Each structure stands twice: as structure tokens, then as C-alpha cells.
Amino acid sequence: MISYRDAIERLLAPLSVLPSETCALTDATGRVLADTVTSPLALPSFDHAAMDGYALKAGASSHGGSEHHVHGSQAAGDGGHIAGSGVCEIMTGARLPQGFDAVIAVERTEMLQARPDGAPHRIRLLDDIAHGRNVRRMGTDVPRGANVLAAGTCIEPAQIMLLAALGVAHVAVVRRPRVAIICTGKELQTGPPAPLRDGQIHNSNGPYLTAALQRAGADVVSCETVDDTVHPYLEALQRAVEAGVDLVISTGAVSMGRYDFVPAALRHFGAQVLFHKVAMRPGKPLLAARLHTGPLVLGLPGTPMAVAVGARFFVAPVLRAMGGQGSEPTLRAVLASPQHPKPGLRHFLRATLWLDDRGQLQARPVERQEPFRIQPFANADAWIVLDEQAGDCAAGMPVKIASLELATPLCLSAGPDFSP
């Protein structure tokens, strides 16, 4: 049995970033950038008005109380023109006429005379106007040629907005990890849901892993259920290899019982076992192996919360490494109730979160942490992570937390390694 830290190091050491492919921006949400994006233009791409008003040249004649003739009007989308004398009516987002360098808001002026069509002809300024007032300068958001998004960035709607504003229609993204799921157990009902026979249960691990992996950006190639014998498992494993998957996740049959055949089956298949048994709770019997000419294999215990922990704290780092994203930053909250974890084990506890009156994020482990219980998982907000040497944990102490699912909803960039 090895520590979680050592297990993660062995698991990630041989991994490399998956190849890249080109993706249309309209299909890029949730994908991971393979290359750094350099801005092809400046944002804004020209000096423009920050509000409706009048464009003018700031100077001695632009003081409060001065009167000006209005020469023309500039709306958003109009081409640039050379400014004349006086002022120019201008709308929000419109290009600043060449020669003008400031804008006064329309509400800070007084119309003295209108043209027959109602357009302003002569106005009075109510405020002094300085150079650059109410003007958005070219390149103040993004200079041309600047690196705007780094390789490994998860593309979410905010990144889509930026790339679209830069006129980027296609991006290089990391190919989605291809994953096969194999659920073992003769007790698992296969096929469409139907009344259970005596001793049967519905398969919840397969649907959970499929949903979690898809949400994390993986391509789930297959999800099979096999009984508790070696040959059906090896046949499913062979199909996964032939499908060209990057990762195989199996559930069940990795412990020490008579029907726990996965470790021997993988060795029969020629796999190199990276580790078997991790000092943690739940999910201690977890196994990782590498096929010599094929994918990485993670064998998770079949208990639901062992599967959830294996997915969040082993599969998720693998997917990040394959996407070139690096490790997660450490997140912390205040422990709301005392805990007494068993020494020498890393504990993963389902928890609820809330902000207290002082604005501190509080984390309370849910009641009934037994690994077979699914209801508390569905009601939880996050995981609390207690290290192997945590000892007795008093209420009020800071603890590590992690998002409940594989893909963090904050889409956090790489930072200090979460795993230790």
C-alpha cells in the first residue's frame, strides 16, 4: 500500500499531452487549448466613444460654459473622418474623428440651438473636458500580438467572447481523451432498466462515470458490464484496446476476495501494475496499470463512493495531464465540525459548503460517510480532503476542499499542486 502522493506521481509520470486538432470556435466550449493564442489585432481596434455625447479637441476652448457649433454626427459603424472645427455629435462605440481627443457626455451639455430636423446645431459645455475623457483607446484591452490565452486553458464562454472579439474562427485544441468503462459484477443488471431479479442491483457506477467523464471533456467510447470472470473482462479490455482508447476505467473485482480477478487478469494481459492499494478512505484497493502497447488502466473498487473518489482524485488528474493543464490549485475552507480520521490514511469526505456571517467559507462533512451511501453524495457540495497526518481536526481549522465532480466548475488554471 502506497501513499496518495506516491500513487499520483506514479500515475502521471508516464503521461504526455494528447495530440492537437483544429476546432471551430462554435464547437470549442469545454475544450482545452493546445497552443497559446496570440492576438491578431488590437482591442479596441480604434479609438471610440465610451458614451453618447460630443467629440471635441480638449484645450483652452473646452472649458465649462464654452459654446460650440455641432458639425456632423458619428454613429457606431461609421467610418473615420477628419475632424473639423467645433464639436461632433457622437454615439457610444463610434469611432473618434481624427483630430478629436475627448468626449463630453450629452447630459453634461445644454442644447442652445437645434436644426430643423431636431439634430443639435449649437451647444454649451457644462463641465471642463480634459484630454482622453470618455474615450476608449485602441489596444487598451488587448495589444496586437499579445499572448491572450495560454496552452492548457479550458475554453468557456468568457474565452469564447474574447476569441470571437479577436476574429478567431478556429483554434488548436487537445484531442479529447478516449475512455472505455468496464463494470464488473454478476449482480449488475444489464440492458434497459427492468424489475430486478433476486440478488440483482441497478448499475449506478457506469452511468455516473459516463456522465462525469463527458462533463470533464472526455469521449466515452464504450461502457460495458461483464460478470465476475476473467475471460469476459479480458475480451472487453481487448475491445477497448482495439478502439484506440487512452484510458480504461473498470469498477469492482480489485480487492482480495475470490472473485476479485482484475489484478491477475491485467498481469495475464501483459500489463505493468503501477500500484495496487492506496492509503486512503474510501477506495483503498484502487489499482493502476499500464498496457505495454495500449492505454492506462484504472481499476476502481465497486462501492459507489470508492468509484466517486477514484474518479475525482485519480481520473481527474489523468485527464488534466492528458490535456496539458497541470495540477489543480489548492482550495480551502473552514472545518465546521470536528473530525477524527484514522492515522495514516488520506480521507475524502463529502461535505456541504456555505458562507458564514464573516464571509468565511465553511465546510461541514455530511452525516453517514459510509461508502455505499449515494444519497449524501447527491446532496453534497464538495469534498473535504484530510491528509494522512491530519490527526484530530478541530472545528475552525482550515482544510483542503475540492469540487464534487471531475471538472471543477470554476475551471481554475494550473497552480500549486493540489494532490499533496
Side-chain angles (χ1 to χ4, degrees):
M1 188 165 62
I2 65 173
S3 70
Y4 175 77
R5 180 197 292 267
D6 290 342
I8 288 294
E9 288 179 355
R10 292 189 193 182
L11 190 62
L12 302 186
L15 296 181
S16 57
V17 181
L18 295 174
S20 65
E21 59 189 20
T22 300
C23 176
L25 187 63
T26 52
D27 299 323
T29 303
R31 303 299 298 271
V32 176
L33 282 174
D35 300 319
T36 297
V37 176
T38 301
S39 174
L41 49 82
L43 284 182
S45 53
F46 50 82
D47 295 349
H48 67 267
M51 58 185 62
D52 295 341
Y54 298 93
L56 67 159
K57 183 173 179 60
S61 63
S62 61
H63 57 84
S66 60
E67 298 180 6
H68 303 265
H69 287 286
V70 180
H71 298 283
S73 180
Q74 185 85 343
D78 290 346
H81 66 270
I82 299 175
S85 59
V87 300
C88 175
E89 184 184 27
I90 196 165
M91 311 306 168
T92 303
R95 189 181 189 118
L96 201 68
Q98 185 178 343
F100 285 167
D101 59 12
V103 172
I104 185 169
V106 65
E107 59 268 25
R108 301 309 302 159
T109 66
E110 178 185 358
M111 186 186 293
L112 301 177
Q113 185 180 358
R115 301 182 189 278
D117 62 359
H121 179 60
R122 187 171 178 81
I123 65 166
R124 177 184 293 124
L125 306 187
L126 301 181
D127 296 330
D128 295 344
I129 296 298
H131 171 78
R133 182 78 174 272
N134 299 323
V135 174
R136 296 169 180 159
R137 291 295 185 187
M138 176 180 176
T140 51
D141 185 10
V142 178
R144 181 185 178 94
N147 293 336
V148 291
L149 292 173
T153 298
C154 178
I155 303 173
E156 297 294 346
Q159 289 73 35
I160 294 289
M161 176 185 278
L162 175 59
L163 294 169
L166 294 172
V168 175
H170 294 83
V171 288
V173 296
V174 179
R175 174 175 64 75
R176 294 184 186 276
R178 293 168 55 82
V179 185
I181 302 167
I182 305 173
C183 300
T184 71
K186 66 179 182 180
E187 75 279 12
L188 300 177
Q189 183 197 66
T190 59
L196 296 173
R197 296 195 303 271
D198 189 28
Q200 281 194 320
I201 62 173
H202 293 294
N203 182 359
S204 60
N205 290 334
Y208 164 72
L209 286 172
T210 298
L213 287 162
Q214 289 175 340
R215 186 176 181 185
D219 179 10
V220 179
V221 175
S222 61
C223 181
E224 299 188 50
T225 301
V226 299
D227 64 20
D228 294 310
T229 55
V230 172
H231 293 296
Y233 176 83
L234 291 179
E235 290 170 355
L237 186 59
Q238 182 61 42
R239 286 190 290 272
V241 171
E242 292 172 354
V245 302
D246 307 294
L247 173 66
V248 176
I249 303 172
S250 67
T251 66
V254 290
S255 190
M256 301 296 291
R258 188 158 59 92
Y259 292 101
D260 293 322
F261 59 87
V262 168
L266 287 172
R267 291 186 177 89
H268 177 79
F269 204 84
Q272 174 196 4
V273 175
L274 303 177
F275 58 83
H276 185 197
K277 296 184 182 179
V278 181
M280 65 183 193
R281 179 177 290 176
K284 183 171 68 174
L286 189 145
L287 176 149
R290 186 87 197 188
L291 302 184
H292 293 301
T293 58
L296 181 69
V297 180
L298 279 173
L300 312 182
T303 308
M305 289 308 100
V307 171
V309 165
R312 180 62 184 88
F313 297 100
F314 289 85
V315 175
V318 166
L319 297 182
R320 291 182 66 88
M322 289 179 173
Q325 290 186 283
S327 55
E328 294 180 43
T330 297
L331 304 177
R332 294 189 182 275
V334 176
L335 186 64
S337 58
Q339 298 296 306
H340 308 283
K342 183 177 180 179
L345 297 179
R346 179 166 295 215
H347 291 255
F348 301 99
L349 307 176
R350 291 153 284 171
T352 55
L353 302 177
W354 75 95
L355 287 174
D356 64 18
D357 294 340
R358 296 175 295 172
Q360 288 186 314
L361 185 62
Q362 297 278 341
R364 184 187 302 278
V366 300
E367 295 182 357
R368 301 190 180 279
Q369 290 283 335
E370 295 95 334
F372 73 91
R373 294 183 183 274
I374 302 174
Q375 180 72 60
F377 183 47
N379 294 337
D381 301 314
W383 293 99
I384 290 175
V385 182
L386 301 180
D387 294 345
E388 293 84 347
Q389 308 305 321
D392 288 342
C393 301
M397 69 175 289
V399 290
K400 296 178 185 178
I401 61 170
S403 61
L404 204 63
E405 299 295 350
L406 279 63
T408 169
L410 297 179
C411 204
L412 294 166
S413 59
D417 190 359
F418 174 83
S419 56

